[in-house]
Amino acid sequence: GAGVSQSPSNKVTEKGKDVELRCDPISGHTALYWYRQSLGQGLEFLIYFQGNSAPDKSGLPSDRFSAERTGGSVSTLTIQRTQQEDSAVYLCASSGPSGTGAYNEQFFGPGTRLTVL
Amino acid sequence: SQQGEEDPQALSIQEGENATMNCSYKTSINNLQWYRQNSGRGLVHLILIRSNEREKHSGRLRVTLDTSKKSSSLLITASRAADTASYFCATKTSGSRLTFGEGTQLTVNP
């Protein structure tokens, strides 16, 4: 597609349930990032994938959070046993191949607004 | 605390005025980027300035970088109501991660 897409755009779930958030990066982009943004706050880094390298998971807040990237393209962020404090907008971004100008700029999707009741 | 910190947190101006937002950071950087966010959704990249650059222009945007003070400023000239948004600075170190600040909420009144 022309840009980064995310689904669903909104997700309401009950405390304790698992959720999966999906990100489709720009075709050809080798890097993919997940961020979390609470209301009125800045972006909190969660996880980063670059090609076939091991992902940088240093931003994941707990072991309830996990992400995978299949075939170097689509990524899924999974939150298990959701808590109310997980409510936030989850943003995905991708960037071009390392060593190119596009590598420095991140292209963001519209985000998934997660509400945990 | 966050690597990038913007000030002010909120700025309200009249259409036609200039808006200046500042960003400070703590560690050495490879580059600094400014992003814009409307309505709490996806961010849009505005401009990038490398660590060896001091000033950069793009349309009505002017960015400065002072690596000795570890600070940057974003100037929007002749502001328009459509410039109303949140503006974030993001720093990139030797790795690939961007570290975002808390943002400045700019309101441009018609």
Side-chain angles (χ1 to χ4, degrees):
Chain A
V4 178
S5 61
Q6 292 185 246
S7 60
S9 56
N10 287 284
K11 176 72 176 179
V12 180
T13 190
E14 293 179 347
K15 178 182 174 181
K17 296 284 181 68
D18 298 352
V19 295
E20 284 190 353
L21 312 180
R22 177 187 167 105
C23 172
D24 281 88
I26 292 173
S27 178
H29 278 191
T30 56
L32 187 147
Y33 312 79
W34 281 98
Y35 297 90
R36 176 169 73 174
Q37 185 178 31
S38 300
L39 186 64
Q41 301 296 310
L43 274 69
E44 175 188 3
F45 168 80
L46 297 177
I47 189 169
Y48 155 67
F49 296 89
Q50 171 61 57
N52 296 321
S53 303
D56 176 355
K57 304 179 181 180
S58 59
L60 295 178
S62 78
D63 59 8
R64 295 187 296 104
F65 288 72
S66 63
E68 63 177 22
R69 189 178 184 192
T70 54
S73 181
V74 172
S75 177
T76 302
L77 176 69
T78 300
I79 309 173
Q80 297 178 309
R81 304 180 303 282
T82 52
Q83 303 294 311
Q84 289 182 330
E85 59 263 29
D86 298 335
S87 295
V89 175
Y90 289 82
L91 292 160
C92 174
S94 68
S95 63
S98 176
T100 68
Y103 179 61
N104 282 307
E105 176 182 349
Q106 294 188 11
F107 296 82
F108 281 80
T112 293
R113 185 177 300 279
L114 174 66
T115 303
V116 182
L117 301 177
Chain B
S1 60
Q2 294 249 357
Q3 161 80 326
E5 297 182 2
E6 289 97 335
D7 80 271
Q9 289 187 324
L11 179 61
S12 181
I13 60 174
Q14 295 301 120
E15 211 165 22
E17 295 180 338
N18 296 341
T20 300
M21 289 161 272
N22 302 297
C23 169
S24 61
Y25 56 92
K26 293 181 169 58
T27 64
S28 296
I29 61 171
N30 179 289
N31 64 63
L32 185 145
Q33 305 176 32
W34 285 90
Y35 287 79
R36 166 192 167 127
Q37 183 181 39
N38 287 81
S39 305
R41 295 302 243 187
L43 280 71
V44 175
H45 181 266
L46 294 176
I47 195 166
L48 178 154
I49 186 164
R50 300 185 188 282
S51 60
N52 60 354
E53 297 176 310
R54 292 297 168 258
E55 187 170 314
K56 202 161 185 180
H57 296 253
S58 177
R60 293 185 295 111
L61 304 180
R62 172 177 167 251
V63 170
T64 62
L65 179 64
D66 187 335
T67 53
S68 66
K69 295 181 180 178
K70 292 186 168 59
S71 67
S72 172
S73 67
L74 171 68
L75 169 68
I76 304 174
T77 60
S79 63
R80 305 166 181 167
D83 294 330
T84 295
S86 292
Y87 292 82
F88 294 88
C89 71
T91 53
K92 186 165 186 175
T93 57
S94 58
S96 57
R97 285 174 56 170
L98 283 180
T99 303
F100 287 82
E102 298 292 323
T104 292
Q105 172 61 48
L106 173 66
T107 302
V108 181
N109 302 298

